[in-house]
Amino acid sequence: MAAAPSLTPPMRSVRAVVLDTDGVITDSARSHAAAWKKAFDAVLSGIEGQPPFDAVDDYLRHVDGRSRRDGAAAFLASRGLDLPEGDPGDPPGTGTVWAVAARKDELFTRALRTEHVDVWPGTVRLLDALRDRGTPCAAVSASRHATELLTRAGLIDRFAAVVDGNEAGRLRLPGKPDPALFVEAARRLRVPVRDTAVVEDALAGVEAGRRGGFGLVIGVDRTGGPDSTAALRRHGADLVVSDPGDLLTTGAAAGEATAGEGDVAVGEAGAAAPGAGEDR
Protein backbone atom coordinates (compact mmCIF):
# COMPACT_ATOMS: atom_id res chain seq x y z
CA MET A 1 0.00 0.00 0.00
CA ALA A 2 1.35 3.42 -0.96
CA ALA A 3 2.23 5.77 1.86
CA ALA A 4 -0.20 8.59 2.51
CA PRO A 5 0.97 11.95 1.16
CA SER A 6 2.77 14.15 3.65
CA LEU A 7 3.53 17.85 3.63
CA THR A 8 6.82 19.27 2.45
CA PRO A 9 9.02 21.07 5.03
CA PRO A 10 7.75 24.58 4.13
CA MET A 11 4.15 23.52 4.71
CA ARG A 12 5.00 21.77 7.96
CA SER A 13 6.48 25.02 9.24
CA VAL A 14 3.19 26.96 9.16
CA ARG A 15 0.19 26.81 11.49
CA ALA A 16 -2.52 27.86 9.01
CA VAL A 17 -3.03 28.16 5.25
CA VAL A 18 -5.04 30.69 3.27
CA LEU A 19 -5.83 29.74 -0.32
CA ASP A 20 -7.17 31.80 -3.19
CA THR A 21 -10.31 30.27 -4.70
CA ASP A 22 -10.42 30.65 -8.49
CA GLY A 23 -7.39 29.11 -10.14
CA VAL A 24 -6.04 27.56 -6.94
CA ILE A 25 -9.00 25.59 -5.56
CA THR A 26 -11.57 25.65 -8.36
CA ASP A 27 -10.87 25.56 -12.08
CA SER A 28 -13.25 28.43 -12.77
CA ALA A 29 -10.71 30.93 -14.07
CA ARG A 30 -11.49 30.01 -17.67
CA SER A 31 -15.15 30.93 -17.19
CA HIS A 32 -14.18 34.24 -15.61
CA ALA A 33 -11.78 35.02 -18.45
CA ALA A 34 -14.36 34.09 -21.08
CA ALA A 35 -16.96 36.37 -19.48
CA TRP A 36 -14.45 39.25 -19.33
CA LYS A 37 -13.62 38.74 -22.99
CA LYS A 38 -17.25 39.07 -24.05
CA ALA A 39 -17.75 42.14 -21.86
CA PHE A 40 -14.59 43.91 -23.05
CA ASP A 41 -14.91 42.94 -26.70
CA ALA A 42 -18.35 44.57 -26.77
CA VAL A 43 -16.54 47.83 -25.98
CA LEU A 44 -13.51 47.28 -28.20
CA SER A 45 -15.42 46.18 -31.30
CA GLY A 46 -16.73 49.70 -31.81
CA ILE A 47 -13.31 51.36 -31.66
CA GLU A 48 -11.08 51.28 -34.72
CA GLY A 49 -7.62 49.89 -34.16
CA GLN A 50 -8.41 48.14 -30.88
CA PRO A 51 -7.54 44.42 -30.89
CA PRO A 52 -9.83 42.11 -28.93
CA PHE A 53 -9.24 41.22 -25.28
CA ASP A 54 -6.73 38.39 -24.86
CA ALA A 55 -8.23 35.92 -22.38
CA VAL A 56 -4.77 34.86 -21.20
CA ASP A 57 -2.29 37.74 -21.48
CA ASP A 58 -4.66 40.68 -20.90
CA TYR A 59 -6.45 38.73 -18.18
CA LEU A 60 -3.26 37.98 -16.26
CA ARG A 61 -1.84 41.50 -16.64
CA HIS A 62 -4.88 43.59 -15.85
CA VAL A 63 -7.79 41.60 -14.38
CA ASP A 64 -6.46 38.63 -12.45
CA GLY A 65 -6.74 39.06 -8.69
CA ARG A 66 -8.56 42.39 -8.81
CA SER A 67 -12.12 43.36 -7.96
CA ARG A 68 -14.55 43.54 -10.87
CA ARG A 69 -14.52 47.34 -10.88
CA ASP A 70 -10.74 47.57 -10.53
CA GLY A 71 -10.15 44.94 -13.20
CA ALA A 72 -12.45 46.69 -15.64
CA ALA A 73 -10.80 50.05 -14.97
CA ALA A 74 -7.26 48.66 -15.25
CA PHE A 75 -7.82 46.97 -18.59
CA LEU A 76 -9.68 49.91 -20.12
CA ALA A 77 -6.91 52.26 -18.99
CA SER A 78 -4.30 49.95 -20.56
CA ARG A 79 -6.03 50.52 -23.91
CA GLY A 80 -6.22 54.28 -23.38
CA LEU A 81 -10.00 54.21 -22.98
CA ASP A 82 -11.37 56.78 -20.55
CA LEU A 83 -14.91 55.59 -19.87
CA PRO A 84 -16.95 57.41 -17.23
CA GLU A 85 -16.80 55.73 -13.83
CA GLY A 86 -20.55 55.41 -13.57
CA ASP A 87 -22.26 53.96 -10.52
CA PRO A 88 -22.31 50.49 -8.91
CA GLY A 89 -25.97 50.28 -9.82
CA ASP A 90 -25.37 50.74 -13.56
CA PRO A 91 -27.05 48.02 -15.65
CA PRO A 92 -24.85 45.76 -17.81
CA GLY A 93 -23.50 47.58 -20.84
CA THR A 94 -20.53 49.36 -22.38
CA GLY A 95 -20.98 53.01 -21.42
CA THR A 96 -19.26 53.13 -18.02
CA VAL A 97 -16.66 51.20 -16.06
CA TRP A 98 -19.35 49.89 -13.73
CA ALA A 99 -21.57 48.90 -16.67
CA VAL A 100 -18.78 46.81 -18.19
CA ALA A 101 -18.16 45.18 -14.80
CA ALA A 102 -21.88 44.47 -14.47
CA ARG A 103 -21.96 42.90 -17.92
CA LYS A 104 -19.11 40.61 -16.95
CA ASP A 105 -20.89 39.60 -13.75
CA GLU A 106 -24.08 38.87 -15.67
CA LEU A 107 -22.23 36.61 -18.10
CA PHE A 108 -20.32 34.75 -15.39
CA THR A 109 -23.40 34.27 -13.22
CA ARG A 110 -25.19 32.73 -16.18
CA ALA A 111 -22.27 30.34 -16.75
CA LEU A 112 -22.12 29.48 -13.03
CA ARG A 113 -25.72 28.34 -13.07
CA THR A 114 -25.26 26.05 -16.07
CA GLU A 115 -21.68 24.74 -15.96
CA HIS A 116 -20.10 22.09 -13.74
CA VAL A 117 -17.68 23.37 -11.09
CA ASP A 118 -14.33 21.64 -11.55
CA VAL A 119 -11.72 21.50 -8.80
CA TRP A 120 -7.98 20.96 -9.03
CA PRO A 121 -7.23 17.41 -7.77
CA GLY A 122 -3.81 18.39 -6.43
CA THR A 123 -5.36 21.08 -4.27
CA VAL A 124 -7.89 18.62 -2.88
CA ARG A 125 -5.06 16.28 -1.92
CA LEU A 126 -3.26 19.14 -0.21
CA LEU A 127 -6.42 20.07 1.70
CA ASP A 128 -6.79 16.44 2.80
CA ALA A 129 -3.21 16.38 4.11
CA LEU A 130 -3.66 19.69 5.92
CA ARG A 131 -6.86 18.43 7.53
CA ASP A 132 -5.12 15.23 8.64
CA ARG A 133 -2.40 17.35 10.22
CA GLY A 134 -4.95 19.61 11.94
CA THR A 135 -3.85 22.72 10.04
CA PRO A 136 -6.80 25.12 9.65
CA CYS A 137 -7.46 26.53 6.19
CA ALA A 138 -9.35 29.52 4.83
CA ALA A 139 -10.51 30.28 1.31
CA VAL A 140 -10.26 33.84 0.06
CA SER A 141 -11.58 35.61 -3.00
CA ALA A 142 -12.78 39.07 -3.86
CA SER A 143 -15.43 37.28 -5.93
CA ARG A 144 -18.90 37.33 -4.42
CA HIS A 145 -19.47 33.93 -6.05
CA ALA A 146 -16.67 32.15 -4.15
CA THR A 147 -18.80 30.62 -1.38
CA GLU A 148 -21.31 29.33 -3.91
CA LEU A 149 -18.50 27.84 -6.02
CA LEU A 150 -17.00 26.04 -3.02
CA THR A 151 -20.40 24.77 -1.93
CA ARG A 152 -21.25 23.42 -5.37
CA ALA A 153 -17.81 21.82 -5.58
CA GLY A 154 -18.40 20.00 -2.28
CA LEU A 155 -15.40 21.61 -0.59
CA ILE A 156 -16.98 24.19 1.71
CA ASP A 157 -16.51 21.93 4.75
CA ARG A 158 -12.73 21.93 4.22
CA PHE A 159 -12.47 25.56 5.32
CA ALA A 160 -12.73 27.00 8.80
CA ALA A 161 -13.32 30.41 7.24
CA VAL A 162 -14.29 31.88 3.87
CA VAL A 163 -13.70 35.55 3.12
CA ASP A 164 -15.43 36.28 -0.18
CA GLY A 165 -16.59 39.37 -2.03
CA ASN A 166 -19.74 39.60 0.05
CA GLU A 167 -17.69 39.76 3.23
CA ALA A 168 -15.24 42.18 1.62
CA GLY A 169 -18.09 44.51 0.78
CA ARG A 170 -19.67 44.22 4.21
CA LEU A 171 -16.38 44.96 5.96
CA ARG A 172 -15.24 47.50 3.34
CA LEU A 173 -12.03 45.61 2.72
CA PRO A 174 -9.89 46.84 -0.19
CA GLY A 175 -9.04 44.38 -2.91
CA LYS A 176 -5.71 42.85 -3.86
CA PRO A 177 -2.85 43.77 -3.96
CA ASP A 178 -3.89 45.17 -0.57
CA PRO A 179 -3.50 42.31 1.94
CA ALA A 180 -6.77 43.03 3.79
CA LEU A 181 -8.62 39.91 2.57
CA PHE A 182 -5.80 37.61 3.62
CA VAL A 183 -5.26 39.36 6.93
CA GLU A 184 -8.97 39.00 7.73
CA ALA A 185 -8.82 35.29 6.88
CA ALA A 186 -5.84 34.75 9.21
CA ARG A 187 -7.65 36.68 11.94
CA ARG A 188 -10.62 34.35 11.64
CA LEU A 189 -8.31 31.34 11.86
CA ARG A 190 -6.78 32.93 14.99
CA VAL A 191 -3.24 32.46 13.69
CA PRO A 192 -0.71 35.31 13.28
CA VAL A 193 0.13 36.16 9.66
CA ARG A 194 3.79 35.34 10.31
CA ASP A 195 2.74 31.73 10.99
CA THR A 196 0.35 31.52 8.02
CA ALA A 197 0.97 30.53 4.40
CA VAL A 198 -0.75 32.13 1.40
CA VAL A 199 -1.30 30.06 -1.76
CA GLU A 200 -2.06 32.25 -4.79
CA ASP A 201 -1.87 32.18 -8.59
CA ALA A 202 -2.51 35.87 -9.25
CA LEU A 203 0.30 38.41 -9.28
CA ALA A 204 -1.85 40.81 -7.28
CA GLY A 205 -2.59 38.08 -4.75
CA VAL A 206 1.06 37.11 -4.35
CA GLU A 207 1.91 40.76 -3.83
CA ALA A 208 -0.84 41.00 -1.22
CA GLY A 209 0.64 38.07 0.68
CA ARG A 210 4.04 39.70 0.70
CA ARG A 211 2.66 43.09 1.76
CA GLY A 212 0.75 41.43 4.57
CA GLY A 213 3.89 39.95 6.10
CA PHE A 214 2.76 36.33 5.74
CA GLY A 215 5.32 33.74 6.77
CA LEU A 216 5.21 31.83 3.47
CA VAL A 217 3.88 33.04 0.11
CA ILE A 218 3.44 30.30 -2.48
CA GLY A 219 2.82 31.19 -6.11
CA VAL A 220 0.95 28.72 -8.32
CA ASP A 221 2.01 28.86 -11.97
CA ARG A 222 -0.40 26.84 -14.10
CA THR A 223 0.39 28.73 -17.31
CA GLY A 224 3.83 27.29 -17.95
CA GLY A 225 4.84 30.55 -19.62
CA PRO A 226 8.55 31.48 -19.83
CA ASP A 227 8.14 34.57 -17.68
CA SER A 228 5.27 33.61 -15.37
CA THR A 229 7.37 32.01 -12.64
CA ALA A 230 9.78 34.94 -12.62
CA ALA A 231 6.84 37.35 -12.41
CA LEU A 232 5.41 35.52 -9.38
CA ARG A 233 8.79 35.72 -7.68
CA ARG A 234 9.16 39.42 -8.48
CA HIS A 235 5.81 40.08 -6.85
CA GLY A 236 6.85 38.29 -3.66
CA ALA A 237 6.48 34.51 -3.95
CA ASP A 238 8.90 32.61 -1.72
CA LEU A 239 8.16 29.42 -3.63
CA VAL A 240 6.55 28.68 -7.00
CA VAL A 241 4.82 25.40 -7.83
CA SER A 242 2.97 24.19 -10.90
CA ASP A 243 0.16 22.82 -8.72
CA PRO A 244 -0.59 22.87 -4.96
CA GLY A 245 -0.31 19.08 -5.01
CA ASP A 246 3.43 19.62 -5.50
CA LEU A 247 3.53 20.60 -1.82
CA LEU A 248 3.11 16.92 -0.93
CA THR A 249 6.01 14.49 -0.76
CA THR A 250 4.37 11.26 -1.94
CA GLY A 251 1.53 10.12 -4.16
CA ALA A 252 0.67 11.43 -7.61
CA ALA A 253 2.19 14.79 -6.78
CA ALA A 254 5.51 13.58 -5.41
CA GLY A 255 8.33 15.97 -4.77
CA GLU A 256 9.85 18.07 -2.06
CA ALA A 257 10.49 21.80 -1.88
CA THR A 258 11.96 24.16 0.61
CA ALA A 259 11.42 27.89 0.76
CA GLY A 260 14.22 29.73 -0.96
CA GLU A 261 15.14 26.83 -3.27
CA GLY A 262 14.64 26.95 -7.01
CA ASP A 263 11.20 26.67 -8.54
CA VAL A 264 9.24 23.51 -7.83
CA ALA A 265 7.66 22.08 -10.95
CA VAL A 266 7.23 18.40 -10.22
CA GLY A 267 4.16 16.21 -9.98
CA GLU A 268 0.79 17.23 -11.37
CA ALA A 269 0.76 20.38 -13.45
CA GLY A 270 -2.66 21.62 -14.40
CA ALA A 271 -3.54 22.47 -17.97
CA ALA A 272 -2.66 26.00 -18.99
CA ALA A 273 -5.20 28.37 -17.57
CA PRO A 274 -5.29 31.96 -16.36
CA GLY A 275 -5.38 32.58 -12.66
CA ALA A 276 -8.17 34.25 -10.89
CA GLY A 277 -9.47 35.64 -7.68
CA GLU A 278 -11.33 38.85 -8.37
CA ASP A 279 -14.80 40.11 -7.43
CA ARG A 280 -16.28 38.80 -10.59
Side-chain angles (χ1 to χ4, degrees), residues 150-231:
L150 293 170
T151 300
R152 292 189 59 207
L155 294 177
I156 194 68
D157 64 338
R158 307 297 182 92
F159 301 99
V162 176
V163 182
D164 63 7
N166 297 305
E167 285 295 279
R170 183 179 68 84
L171 297 173
R172 300 181 181 274
L173 302 176
K176 306 168 190 175
D178 190 285
L181 289 172
F182 291 142
V183 172
E184 173 63 17
R187 185 192 70 78
R188 295 185 183 193
L189 295 179
R190 300 183 179 181
V191 177
V193 295
R194 66 178 179 274
D195 297 325
T196 301
V198 165
V199 185
E200 253 283 5
D201 66 328
L203 296 179
V206 166
E207 184 175 337
R210 175 55 57 229
R211 287 188 187 184
F214 283 81
L216 180 64
V217 180
I218 300 169
V220 178
D221 178 15
R222 298 193 189 277
T223 69
D227 302 319
S228 51
T229 290

Side-chain angles (χ1 to χ4, degrees), residues 210-279:
R210 175 55 57 229
R211 287 188 187 184
F214 283 81
L216 180 64
V217 180
I218 300 169
V220 178
D221 178 15
R222 298 193 189 277
T223 69
D227 302 319
S228 51
T229 290
L232 287 165
R233 286 195 176 278
R234 285 196 304 271
H235 281 74
D238 299 304
L239 181 68
V240 178
V241 297
S242 60
D243 181 86
D246 298 341
L247 298 166
L248 300 171
T249 58
T250 62
E256 183 168 308
T258 58
E261 289 183 347
D263 303 328
V264 176
V266 299
E268 178 183 346
E278 77 269 13
D279 174 17

Side-chain angles (χ1 to χ4, degrees), residues 15 128-137:
R15 294 170 48 202
D128 287 343
L130 290 167
R131 181 169 59 181
D132 290 345
R133 188 178 175 82
T135 303
C137 295

Side-chain angles (χ1 to χ4, degrees), residues 31-229:
S31 295
H32 282 293
W36 274 121
K37 179 171 176 58
K38 290 179 181 179
F40 284 133
D41 284 355
V43 178
L44 300 172
S45 63
I47 304 174
E48 185 177 356
Q50 285 284 357
F53 177 80
D54 188 302
V56 176
D57 186 62
D58 284 330
Y59 182 86
L60 291 172
R61 289 177 181 272
H62 308 297
V63 178
D64 192 18
R66 302 179 186 272
S67 70
R68 265 188 295 118
R69 182 269 166 205
D70 290 350
F75 172 72
L76 294 169
S78 78
R79 295 294 183 89
L81 303 178
D82 187 21
L83 265 64
E85 174 75 9
D87 183 85
D90 286 353
T94 59
T96 69
V97 172
W98 276 106
V100 174
R103 175 58 174 155
K104 187 272 166 183
D105 187 54
E106 178 183 65
L107 291 164
F108 180 76
T109 300
R110 186 181 305 163
L112 180 62
R113 300 295 186 269
T114 58
E115 297 176 3
H116 176 71
V117 178
D118 292 321
V119 299
W120 292 101
T123 304
V124 176
R125 290 197 297 272
L126 176 62
L127 290 171
D128 287 343
L130 290 167
R131 181 169 59 181
D132 290 345
R133 188 178 175 82
T135 303
C137 295
V140 162
S141 177
S143 172
R144 66 186 183 88
H145 301 290
T147 298
E148 181 179 358
L149 277 170
L150 293 170
T151 300
R152 292 189 59 207
L155 294 177
I156 194 68
D157 64 338
R158 307 297 182 92
F159 301 99
V162 176
V163 182
D164 63 7
N166 297 305
E167 285 295 279
R170 183 179 68 84
L171 297 173
R172 300 181 181 274
L173 302 176
K176 306 168 190 175
D178 190 285
L181 289 172
F182 291 142
V183 172
E184 173 63 17
R187 185 192 70 78
R188 295 185 183 193
L189 295 179
R190 300 183 179 181
V191 177
V193 295
R194 66 178 179 274
D195 297 325
T196 301
V198 165
V199 185
E200 253 283 5
D201 66 328
L203 296 179
V206 166
E207 184 175 337
R210 175 55 57 229
R211 287 188 187 184
F214 283 81
L216 180 64
V217 180
I218 300 169
V220 178
D221 178 15
R222 298 193 189 277
T223 69
D227 302 319
S228 51
T229 290

